Amino acid sequence: LSPTGDRLLTTDNSAKAAMIRSASTGEILLRRDFAGDVIAAFSPTGQHVLIATCCEQNMTESFGDTYLDTTISRMMTLDAATGEVLLSFTYHGPVSSAAWSPTGDYLLTASEGIATLWNASTGEALREFKGQGRDGDGRHGPGTAVFSPAGECILTTSWGPPGLKEHTAKMWNASTGEVLRGRDGDGRHGPGTAVFSPAGECILTTSWGPPGLKEHTAKMWNASTGEVLRNFTGHTSGVVSAVFSPKGDRVLTASWDGTAIVWDTSTGEDLQRFTGQSEQVMDSAVFSPTGDYVLTTAYFPPNYSGTSDFDLGTLWNASSGEVLSTFGRDFWAAVFLPKLWAASGLEVDRGPQNRGDRSIAPKAARGARGGAIG
């Protein structure tokens, strides 16, 4: 979503394309096609777009032999209005995450246990944050890297195959590259994702592992001391998504066990549980801009043999757990569009007038197959 809330940036890795759409009509305003899978992000002003593609095919010579090297990623910045390429440079490795700094002066990428800080104007590599996994040995990652809300710190995650212990979350000084805090896994679990709280004082990580293990949790850490403040335990399978509420007083997790849970950050108490259809797998959950609603997406696993005639996007009342609307299938992600959501007039205590009518949700809350959800 653009900073002003009027445009939506989407990627399609089947078509190898990135598109900017009108958030109110869905109209495609700009489309660019690329050679590989695409990661995309708006700049803090919304005037530029960061694109990272993986992977380009390149013929390389080594000791007289020629072979095909397919691990080159290309980063570029585009004018969000015209699509003009402003900057283009490459990285030797599969980039799995890309982000702008809060000021828009820097770019941050992650690849196989290494995060790299780039000058957004020149494409110069300013600093590498190594020490995740075995420094890009091909057995770890892909990993993620994000800036703190103020931009002074960088938070990275990395993981590898069972048996290796370099499953870590680390916080770094963005200016010096110094490791400020670090948490290692036990060789069997994540962390899978890591995010800062809205004010940046806490960090939230998720954990997942092979079936049968009990460590399917989210943990909240003090960003200054590294102390574990809360363990959110209650899922029976991998926790794949965790976010803070807009005020930072609650945490929302989604799990492969088919549930999403709202937790109290002060006590760790399970406040509300949202359970999907039998055998469906939750893959994301987000709060509405006010925190009064929860939007979840899910899918059925490949080995599922039952009927799949279910809507897999669900809008819930965050306090009561009531289902307000269901819609569509094959969702990979979902976001609220603040302007349309505010205009919808849906209040906290207002439920659907007709529980059997799927069209009663506000127009902004209904999504098209594979599209954005208001």
Side-chain angles (χ1 to χ4, degrees):
L1 192 66
S2 66
T4 55
D6 59 342
R7 290 164 299 156
L8 196 64
L9 176 61
T10 63
T11 61
D12 183 342
N13 284 334
S14 296
K16 312 296 185 189
M19 287 161 277
I20 296 178
R21 301 171 180 267
S22 165
S24 57
T25 67
E27 176 190 1
I28 297 176
L29 305 176
L30 182 70
R31 173 178 173 140
R32 287 296 305 266
D33 296 286
F34 302 97
D37 291 348
V38 186
I39 300 169
F42 275 114
S43 67
T45 63
Q47 296 177 322
H48 303 113
V49 170
L50 169 62
I51 297 289
T53 65
C54 181
C55 293
E56 294 185 4
Q57 295 185 352
N58 183 48
M59 301 304 297
T60 303
E61 285 194 12
S62 178
F63 300 105
D65 297 324
T66 301
Y67 65 95
L68 185 63
D69 183 355
T70 60
T71 60
I72 294 178
S73 296
R74 179 171 296 277
M75 277 73 70
M76 60 188 78
T77 58
L78 312 179
D79 185 299
T82 66
E84 177 188 358
V85 177
L86 306 175
L87 179 68
S88 178
F89 57 98
T90 59
Y91 177 80
H92 193 89
V95 169
S96 55
S97 113
W100 294 83
S101 67
T103 61
D105 296 324
Y106 304 101
L107 308 174
L108 181 65
T109 60
S111 174
E112 290 188 330
I114 299 177
T116 306
L117 184 70
W118 310 84
N119 184 307
S121 299
T122 66
E124 177 189 1
L126 302 176
R127 188 166 293 105
E128 284 190 336
F129 304 89
K130 295 185 177 182
Q132 289 290 127
R134 294 191 183 275
D135 298 341
D137 65 356
R139 297 188 296 168
H140 299 84
T144 60
V146 296
F147 283 99
S148 63
E152 80 282 10
C153 296
I154 287 171
L155 181 62
T156 61
T157 64
S158 181
W159 62 95
L164 293 177
K165 294 188 177 181
E166 293 83 7
H167 304 261
T168 62
K170 291 188 178 181
M171 187 167 68
W172 314 73
N173 183 307
S175 299
T176 67
E178 176 189 4
V179 177
L180 302 176
R181 305 281 176 268
R183 285 288 171 176
D184 295 327
D186 63 2
R188 298 176 299 173
H189 305 94
T193 62
V195 296
F196 281 97
S197 62
E201 78 280 13
C202 294
I203 292 169
L204 183 64
T205 63
T206 63
S207 181
W208 52 269
L213 294 178
K214 296 180 180 180
E215 187 68 14
H216 303 294
T217 64
K219 296 178 185 288
M220 186 172 71
W221 316 79
N222 183 307
S224 298
T225 67
E227 176 190 3
V228 178
L229 302 176
R230 297 284 176 268
N231 279 295
F232 303 106
T233 304
H235 287 294
T236 59
S237 190
V239 181
V240 293
S241 170
V243 296
F244 284 97
S245 64
K247 294 181 180 179
D249 58 341
R250 289 167 296 159
V251 161
L252 174 62
T253 57
S255 169
W256 287 332
D257 64 12
T259 68
I261 302 176
V262 173
W263 312 83
D264 187 306
T265 57
S266 298
T267 65
E269 179 187 359
D270 175 340
L271 299 177
Q272 189 58 251
R273 186 177 293 255
F274 312 96
T275 303
Q277 301 286 346
S278 175
E279 295 189 56
Q280 83 175 29
V281 177
M282 291 274 189
D283 57 356
S284 75
V286 294
F287 281 107
S288 66
T290 59
D292 297 321
Y293 299 89
V294 165
L295 184 61
T296 62
T297 63
Y299 66 94
F300 287 102
N303 60 352
Y304 177 69
S305 58
T307 176
S308 60
D309 188 23
F310 296 117
D311 286 339
L312 298 181
T314 307
L315 179 69
W316 316 75
N317 182 302
S319 298
S320 68
E322 179 186 8
V323 174
L324 302 179
S325 187
T326 62
F327 33 84
R329 286 186 288 278
D330 300 334
F331 290 111
W332 288 97
V335 296
F336 282 89
L337 307 180
K339 290 185 177 180
L340 290 179
W341 182 254
S344 72
L346 185 66
E347 298 176 356
V348 175
D349 59 355
R350 177 185 167 194
Q353 289 83 6
N354 182 346
R355 302 291 170 86
D357 183 357
R358 291 178 180 173
S359 67
I360 49 75
K363 178 173 66 175
R366 297 198 297 271
R369 181 183 178 93
I373 301 170

